[in-house]
């Protein structure tokens, strides 16, 4: 059991400065209790990746991360053979029977683990983070089906490797494309949105303990206003925290017009977004 109950999950996540609501606490508990992957979906910057990191920190488990991208293949996600080392072994064994050489070069010594295989073979608790699965090709989803269903990997030369200890699996998606129903069917689903200003204020206070509560309140309210605008990229929670640290570094104790104008680039990274924000905030 990763967590004893939803309330236990909430308390332990809170202890590592991740402030969950009831739906997050319940989903985190159930993913561990049922041994099912947790698919977290929502806009960029709402804390999906941080949730996996928080679960690892709260449980003392090792975090194994697979960062997905277009063109990701089995060799980068699962395993590959050390071809250079195999070639050296073949050259050193010239004159041997091929069967003997073949059996020798396809062994653990020549196997290069990638994140999925490392998580499956780990004998200690592991949180497997499959980050931004929607950026990977559809073929990668097919690769994941066996792993997420039976927690096993088949390597033709070595056979089937089954997990002795199931990893805690978190998949994240920014919903840039629709994931397959086969993948979704194997997962629990959690949709994350940007937090309310009250919750974001509490997040800022937890992550930046030296900030004044009034300034954290101003930051949260201002960021909420910015997210209500039609921007290319809304500020993430991490950028709100960066803004808080920026104001502290500048010795600001209030988020007034001058402070916003001088530091807007911390949270808005497009010139058109900054122009719109300055107009809407009447800077």
């Amino acid at each position: 059991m990763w967590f004893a109950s939803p309330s236990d999950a909430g308390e332990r996540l809170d202890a590592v400065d991740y402030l969950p609501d009831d739906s997050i606490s319940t989903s985190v508990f159930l993913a561990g209790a049922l041994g099912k992957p947790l698919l977290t979906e929502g806009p960029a910057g709402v804390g999906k990746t941080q949730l996996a990191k928080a679960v690892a920190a709260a449980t003392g488990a090792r975090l194994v991360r697979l960062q997905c991208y277009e063109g990701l293949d089995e060799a980068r996600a699962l395993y590959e053979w050390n071809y250079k080392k195999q070639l050296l072994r073949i050259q050193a064994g010239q004159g041997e029977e091929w069967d003997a050489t073949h059996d020798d070069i396809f062994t653990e010594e020549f196997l290069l683990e990638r994140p999925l295989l490392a998580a499956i073979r780990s004998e200690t608790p592991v949180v497997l983070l499959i980050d931004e699965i929607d950026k990977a090709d559809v073929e990668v989803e097919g690769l994941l089906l066996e792993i997420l269903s039976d927690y096993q990997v088949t390597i033709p030369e070595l056979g089937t490797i089954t997990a002795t200890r199931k990893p805690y699996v978190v998949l994240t998606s920014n919903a840039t494309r629709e994931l397959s129903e086969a993948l979704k069917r194997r997962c629990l689903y959690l949709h994350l949105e940007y937090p309310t200003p009250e919750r974001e204020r509490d997040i800022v206070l937890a992550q930046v303990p030296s900030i004044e509560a009034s300034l954290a309140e101003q930051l949260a309210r201002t960021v909420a206003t910015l997210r209500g605008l039609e921007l290319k990229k809304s500020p993430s929670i991490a950028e709100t925290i960066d803004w808080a640290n920026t104001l502290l570094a500048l010795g600001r104790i209030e988020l007034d017009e001058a402070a916003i104008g001088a530091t807007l680039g911390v949270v808005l990274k497009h010139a058109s977004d900054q122009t719109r924000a300055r107009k809407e905030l009447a800077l």
Side-chain angles (χ1 to χ4, degrees), residues 176-195:
T176 57
R177 70 171 176 85
E178 189 69 27
L179 301 177
S180 70
E181 292 301 323
L183 180 64
K184 287 185 174 181
R185 189 166 59 247
R186 287 162 171 79
C187 302
L188 301 179
Y189 182 81
L190 174 65
H191 184 78
L192 294 181
E193 279 292 349
Y194 291 112

Side-chain angles (χ1 to χ4, degrees), residues 129-144:
L129 168 60
I130 303 174
D131 210 10
E132 298 185 306
I133 181 61
D134 54 319
K135 288 187 177 179
D137 300 324
V138 176
E139 290 76 13
V140 175
E141 291 188 38
L143 174 66
L144 290 173

Side-chain angles (χ1 to χ4, degrees), residues 146-187:
E146 179 186 16
I147 297 172
L148 300 183
S149 293
D150 305 317
Y151 291 96
Q152 66 181 29
V153 171
T154 300
I155 301 176
E157 297 83 359
L158 297 179
T160 299
I161 299 174
T162 304
T164 54
R165 178 192 290 269
K166 287 184 178 181
Y168 189 110
V169 182
V170 178
L171 301 94
T172 73
S173 169
N174 295 334
T176 57
R177 70 171 176 85
E178 189 69 27
L179 301 177
S180 70
E181 292 301 323
L183 180 64
K184 287 185 174 181
R185 189 166 59 247
R186 287 162 171 79
C187 302

